[in-house]
Amino acid sequence: MKYKNINELNEIIQTLRGENGCPWDRKQTPKSIAVYLVEEAHELMHAVENGNSDEICEELGDVLFQVLFIARMFQEKGTFDLEDAARGCAEKMIRRHPHVFGDATVSSAEEVRQQWQQIKRTEKDAGAENASVLDSVPAKLPPLMRAYRISERAARTDFDWDDIQGVMAKAEEEWGEFRAEVRQDEDGNNREKVALEFGDLLFTLTNVARFARIHPDSALTSATHKFEERFRRMEQVARETGRTIYDMPRDEKERLWDAAKALEAVGSEQLSVNRKGPDEDEGGR
C-alpha cells in the first residue's frame, strides 16, 4: 500500500486510533504525544544542520505525523480540527504581514520584526493586569534556547547592553566571579553557589551570541558535532592499532586530536598514529 498525501496520512492516524486500531496509539493523549513531537523536532533540526535533503524529508514527515496525530485527538473531542488550526494560522500570518497583504510599508527586516512584535502585543492584550513581555516564552523550552528567548524579549523593552563590547565585558566579569567561587570551593561544600555563578556565565554568553547574531543552541550543536567527529577519528585510529582509546597515553591522544584537526583543514590527508613509544616521544602539543 502506497500513501501519497496528507489526507491519506490522516486516514492512517484515524485507523490507528479507531476501534480496531493499535492499542498503543489509542491510549495516547496530547500530552504524551507532545513529548514525541519535541524529540522529532530536534531530530529535524539535526538533519537541517547536516544538510542532507533525504534525511530532512524523512524527519519532516515524522514531525508532520506528530502534528496530525495531536490534531486528530482534539478532533475526536470535538474541540477543533486541522482545518481550524490551519485557518487560524493563515489569518494570523496575513494579519502580521500588513506590508505584504495590506497597505503598510517597511524598508528593512528589522522594521518587519518591530511591526510583528507590535501586532503581537495588540493580539495578546499585553496591557492586561500582571502581563509580562516574557509570557510568550514557553516554560519548557530547552534551557539554552529559553535563555536566548528570555534575553531577546527583555531587550525589546530597551533593557540591554549598548553593544557587543559591553556584554563581552560582562561575560569576562562573570568568568572572573565563577573562577573565584571555584577557588573558594576546594572542599566541594558550596556547589550551589558555584553552579549559580556558572549559570550566570552561560546566560551572559547567550547574550554575547545574540549580539553576534548567532543562535547559541545552533552554535553549541555545531561545536559538539565537531568534537564528536574528531573524537571518533581518534577511536578509529586506536582500533586500527589493536587498542582502544582507553589504552592510549594522554600525550598520544593529544597528537591524534591535533591530527584530526589538521585533517579537517586539508580535507584529504589520512589520519595516522605516531607509533613511537613513550621514551621516543618528541613532544606534546
Side-chain angles (χ1 to χ4, degrees):
M1 184 181 295
K2 187 174 182 181
Y3 295 95
K4 301 178 181 179
N5 57 45
I6 293 178
N7 288 335
E8 293 181 56
L9 185 55
N10 266 319
E11 290 176 8
I12 293 175
I13 296 171
Q14 184 175 350
T15 300
L16 291 172
R17 293 278 297 172
E19 184 176 351
N20 298 316
C22 172
W24 187 90
D25 290 283
R26 290 183 62 192
K27 79 172 192 176
Q28 297 310 305
T29 66
K31 281 188 177 181
S32 67
I33 292 299
V35 175
Y36 295 104
L37 174 60
V38 171
E39 292 177 1
E40 296 295 355
H42 278 282
E43 291 183 15
L44 173 60
M45 187 174 80
H46 179 70
V48 171
E49 291 282 348
N50 290 340
N52 185 311
S53 58
D54 290 338
E55 185 182 358
I56 294 170
C57 182
E58 179 182 353
E59 297 300 342
L60 194 59
D62 291 343
V63 170
L64 177 61
F65 181 85
Q66 304 301 333
V67 170
L68 295 177
F69 202 103
I70 292 173
R72 175 64 194 178
M73 287 187 281
F74 281 98
Q75 182 178 349
E76 292 168 356
K77 295 178 181 179
T79 308
F80 66 85
D81 60 18
L82 190 62
E83 292 294 328
D84 295 324
R87 186 181 306 108
C89 184
E91 291 173 353
K92 179 170 64 177
M93 290 302 104
I94 292 172
R95 187 170 60 249
R96 292 185 183 179
H97 290 85
H99 55 292
V100 177
F101 302 103
D103 299 327
T105 58
V106 292
S107 59
S108 67
E110 177 59 24
E111 286 189 16
V112 172
R113 187 188 68 80
Q114 293 174 1
Q115 175 184 258
W116 178 281
Q117 292 305 318
Q118 178 60 45
I119 295 171
K120 279 186 66 175
R121 285 195 294 271
T122 302
E123 293 173 347
K124 301 296 183 181
D125 191 17
E129 186 178 2
N130 298 324
S132 169
V133 297
L134 308 180
D135 287 344
S136 61
V137 181
K140 291 191 176 182
L141 278 179
L144 190 61
M145 189 178 297
R146 190 164 192 270
Y148 182 86
R149 292 302 179 196
I150 287 288
S151 62
E152 184 184 50
R153 297 296 191 276
R156 289 172 185 170
T157 70
D158 201 28
F159 183 68
D160 206 0
W161 288 270
D162 292 331
D163 51 39
I164 193 171
Q165 299 303 322
V167 68
M168 288 176 67
K170 182 62 177 178
E172 292 175 358
E173 176 187 327
E174 295 292 355
W175 174 247
E177 293 178 4
F178 172 67
R179 291 184 62 182
E181 287 299 330
V182 170
R183 285 194 297 267
Q184 293 176 20
D185 193 44
E186 293 180 356
D187 55 5
N189 291 328
N190 198 13
R191 294 286 87 183
E192 288 187 11
K193 194 164 185 181
V194 173
L196 181 61
E197 292 297 343
F198 186 68
D200 289 344
L201 175 61
L202 283 179
F203 187 81
T204 307
L205 287 174
T206 297
N207 282 278
V208 172
R210 177 170 58 83
F211 269 87
R213 299 184 183 279
I214 58 177
H215 198 292
D217 198 79
S218 297
L220 181 58
T221 297
S222 297
T224 302
H225 178 71
K226 180 172 63 177
F227 177 91
E228 182 180 5
E229 290 295 305
R230 291 176 183 174
F231 195 83
R232 288 181 184 275
R233 291 193 189 104
M234 293 166 60
E235 291 179 306
Q236 180 61 34
V237 170
R239 285 191 290 270
E240 290 172 357
T241 61
R243 296 176 291 172
T244 71
I245 195 71
Y246 299 102
D247 301 325
M248 287 183 166
R250 174 66 177 272
D251 58 352
E252 190 171 0
K253 290 188 183 79
E254 297 287 356
R255 288 196 298 274
L256 286 178
W257 179 263
D258 290 339
K261 289 174 62 177
L263 182 61
E264 289 176 2
V266 299
S268 60
E269 294 181 6
Q270 294 295 319
L271 181 60
S272 62
V273 61
N274 185 339
R275 291 183 171 82
K276 295 179 180 180
D279 294 336
E280 298 174 276
D281 182 24
E282 295 178 352
R285 303 188 197 196

